[in-house]
Amino acid sequence: MAESPKSAMATLLHKQRDAFTAARPEGLDVRRDRVKRAIALLKENAEALCKAMSADFGNRSPHQSMITDIAGTANFGKYCLKHLDKWARAEKRHVQFPLGLLGAKAEVRYEPKGVIGILSPWNFPVNLSFGPLMQVLAAGNRAMIKPSEFTERTSEVSAELCARYFDEVEVAFVTGGPEVAHEFSALPFDHLVFTGSTATGRKVMEAAAKNLCPVTLELGGKSPVFLGRSANLEQAGERIALGKMLNAGQICLAPDYMYVPEEKEDAAVAAVELGVHKMYPTLLENEDYASVVTDRHFDRLQGVVADARDKGAEVIEVNPADEDFGNTNARKMPLTILRGVTDDMQAMQEEIFGPVLPVKTYKDVDEAIDYVNRRDRPLGLYYFGQDSGEREQVLRRTISGGVTVNDVLFHVSMEDLPFGGVGPSGIGSYHGVEGFREFSHARSVYTQPKIDIAKLAGFKPPYGAATEKAVRTMMK
Ligand code: NAD
């Protein structure tokens, strides 16, 4: 009888963990070789992967896929190779006076955790599978990856390629729908990295908790844009349009809604429209502009707009060539700006994750700060403006996973900055040295000198004068 997916995954995990244990200690050259193979897999099969992503989305520009999924991820692998030696070095730590003089030593060794599970979403299917993988491998671990069922072709191609470039005890893909995903998240991994929605993240953490498996949760949320009074509107409008239309807004960090000074609302909306016109003169037949991934996601976005309209929002479709979107099944949707939004609208309640941009206005920037603070802590936060006092007021009074000033999204592309959310937008982070540490165990190693430290410190019974003296010193 064929093995069930559940027990096949469990078997694979055991095999990987056994191989991991048997191979220890593995030199850094082994890690480097694995990262290099992951980079080679991406470089040598870029075209096949881009084709698969385009087929999965209905349309997705190979240029975009090369930037967001292939080259960006390969480059992150190169960054890991460059820093691996430094990251992996043991760190000397201080011992309390006078232990150092007596020959005591303390250090932290960053050691691999073992087998790490990676659960990834569909919006950047290669980047969000292979990106974490680069750092998981750099930290000396093995990996099992379960990609999204919504980008099935990309998952299949990735799985085939993985089997060609890696032994299954190093890295392996498993594919399947939410049921397989749930079983995957219930496996006793040494660490689990999940990228996806906050709702699914909750389920993943619950399943992982049964095994006390540590998690990194890269989730979503409503990332606000603060447009300050000193902002260069034309520049901000174009940058917001770019960030909102890249991948048709299906980005965890996409600017979700925009907060503008009330007297500048018309000008700010016009600036975003101008940005769209400049970058996307047409949309329907324009390969640069991605489709919404499935009919279900498309219908959800149409529903968000209809709900806003019904509840009194002004709906502005930015359709530069006046194309007819009604008679197409391409799942393309023009950027849709919503003015006059209220909190009872879906657009202000759920993460938008598509080309819809609600606009809110403020008299005083504190109103916008208070509004953001009353809601879930977002993954990203954006401030546009030249007023450093106001910028610091916004940054110091809010909390978010990360920030880009005078643009959107870009902080995620800085390889040396940790990327992650806070609270409902995520737990833990990767990229930067923080990512290496996230996937490593910081093992404390203390070496006791020959001299009887316990006696000297008064820790050794029979307790007496030495103990009392030690306590007095510590309580001073
Ligand atoms: P999703 O949560 O629906 O799915 C993500 C993964 O979880 C898929 O592989 C899926 O198979 C799996 N899954 C589904 N049900 C599961 C269950 N019960 N238990 C365990 N796993 C399960 O997310 P999505 O729709 O693919 O992606 C969109 C979301 O991801 C958005 O909310 C977005 O903000 C977020 N996201 C976050 C980041 C980030 O880095 N923070 C990046 C991209 C996307």
Side-chain angles (χ1 to χ4, degrees):
M1 203 175 72
E3 217 179 355
S4 71
K6 190 175 175 181
S7 73
M9 286 192 291
T11 307
L12 188 55
L13 171 57
H14 280 298
K15 276 195 197 166
Q16 286 208 353
R17 192 174 284 122
D18 287 349
F20 168 80
T21 309
R24 292 202 71 210
E26 271 179 337
L28 296 188
D29 50 330
V30 179
R31 303 187 192 186
R32 258 185 231 108
D33 171 59
R34 290 188 185 128
V35 176
K36 281 182 189 161
R37 272 185 280 148
I39 295 173
L41 181 158
L42 296 177
K43 284 190 176 169
E44 289 162 14
N45 303 283
E47 204 184 319
L49 287 164
C50 289
K51 272 194 185 145
M53 284 185 271
S54 185
D56 280 330
F57 273 77
N59 175 62
R60 195 193 204 228
S61 151
H63 285 107
Q64 188 220 294
S65 293
M66 279 305 293
I67 295 169
T68 57
D69 281 84
I70 308 292
T73 315
N75 236 19
F76 183 59
K78 282 197 280 179
Y79 162 79
C80 291
L81 287 176
K82 188 168 163 205
H83 294 276
L84 210 163
D85 284 325
K86 189 176 63 198
W87 289 341
R89 213 170 283 151
E91 269 177 14
K92 288 225 173 331
R93 293 292 174 97
H94 292 289
V95 290
Q96 293 93 306
F97 182 80
L99 290 173
L101 299 176
L102 304 172
K105 287 194 189 98
E107 67 175 16
V108 178
R109 296 184 188 183
Y110 294 99
E111 299 190 341
K113 289 189 162 186
V115 182
I116 297 194
I118 301 174
L119 259 166
S120 57
W122 52 264
N123 62 332
F124 294 105
V126 174
N127 180 311
L128 296 170
S129 304
F130 286 89
L133 178 68
M134 297 294 179
Q135 233 165 2
V136 161
L137 294 178
N141 303 286
R142 313 285 170 127
M144 284 171 60
I145 305 173
K146 183 356 227 141
S148 171
E149 60 278 12
F150 287 115
T151 36
E152 214 177 345
R153 293 180 195 79
T154 311
S155 300
E156 273 165 27
V157 175
S158 303
E160 276 166 34
L161 292 172
C162 178
R164 268 182 25 216
Y165 285 73
F166 291 97
D167 191 292
E168 67 164 4
V169 298
E170 298 175 292
V171 183
F173 269 72
V174 295
T175 52
E179 205 165 301
V180 172
H182 170 69
E183 285 162 359
F184 186 91
S185 64
L187 292 172
F189 288 113
D190 298 297
H191 190 102
L192 185 57
V193 192
F194 168 80
T195 307
S197 62
T198 301
T200 313
R202 240 177 227 120
K203 294 184 195 163
V204 168
M205 191 162 173
E206 211 176 305
K210 298 215 167 72
N211 302 309
L212 293 179
C213 169
V215 289
T216 305
L217 302 179
E218 298 284 352
L219 311 176
K222 292 183 81 61
S223 302
V225 177
F226 286 79
L227 209 65
R229 287 199 160 83
S230 60
N232 173 338
L233 282 190
E234 193 175 331
Q235 190 183 65
E238 184 171 306
R239 292 178 181 185
I240 293 164
L242 176 60
K244 192 73 187 178
M245 292 187 75
L246 179 70
N247 213 33
Q250 300 164 109
I251 309 182
C252 56
L253 269 178
D256 192 276
Y257 62 99
M258 181 164 101
Y259 235 126
V260 304
E262 60 180 8
E263 74 283 6
K264 298 208 172 202
E265 187 183 10
D266 290 342
V269 168
V272 174
E273 290 185 71
L274 183 65
V276 177
H277 281 256
K278 277 196 207 156
M279 289 179 288
Y280 299 93
T282 66
L283 296 168
L284 265 186
E285 299 298 325
N286 185 347
E287 213 196 32
D288 289 351
Y289 190 52
S291 301
V292 173
V293 71
T294 66
D295 289 341
R296 207 184 81 201
H297 292 81
F298 187 78
D299 292 344
R300 180 184 64 82
L301 288 164
Q302 300 295 328
V304 166
V305 173
D307 170 74
R309 186 183 279 117
D310 289 350
K311 290 175 181 155
E314 180 192 347
V315 177
I316 305 166
E317 268 191 11
V318 191
N319 183 355
D322 217 5
E323 292 164 288
D324 179 6
F325 285 81
N327 289 321
T328 157
N329 56 5
R331 292 193 307 272
K332 285 215 173 169
M333 182 173 175
L335 178 68
T336 307
I337 299 175
L338 305 177
R339 294 178 68 163
V341 289
T342 47
D343 285 356
D344 60 336
M345 296 176 186
Q346 282 167 29
M348 291 315 295
Q349 290 170 354
E350 54 189 68
E351 178 182 2
I352 289 183
F353 219 61
V356 178
L357 181 66
V359 181
K360 284 183 74 72
T361 59
Y362 65 81
K363 273 197 184 63
D364 187 317
V365 75
D366 277 331
E367 289 165 42
I369 292 173
D370 291 341
Y371 182 83
V372 168
N373 282 340
R374 280 197 302 273
R375 320 188 110 221
D376 284 352
R377 290 175 177 167
L379 184 61
L381 183 145
Y382 306 114
Y383 173 78
F384 284 88
Q386 305 309 319
D387 178 343
S388 57
E390 184 183 68
R391 180 195 67 216
E392 287 310 305
Q393 183 187 357
V394 171
L395 263 51
R396 288 181 189 176
R397 287 205 49 219
T398 56
I399 296 177
S400 69
V403 171
T404 294
V405 175
N406 284 326
D407 211 327
V408 296
L409 310 181
F410 266 83
H411 61 280
V412 66
S413 62
M414 295 303 111
E415 290 160 342
D416 216 28
L417 284 179
F419 174 63
V422 52
S425 58
I427 292 178
S429 59
Y430 68 113
H431 297 184
V433 66
E434 287 80 3
F436 179 85
R437 294 196 175 162
E438 183 92 353
F439 305 139
S440 301
H441 169 57
R443 191 181 194 188
S444 297
V445 180
Y446 172 72
T447 306
Q448 192 72 298
K450 278 201 195 109
I451 190 165
D452 191 348
I453 296 290
K455 182 166 181 207
L456 206 69
F459 295 167
K460 201 166 159 180
Y463 299 127
T467 316
E468 281 160 21
K469 186 170 171 228
V471 170
R472 269 200 307 278
T473 312
M474 283 190 267
M475 296 291 280
K476 248 187 212 161

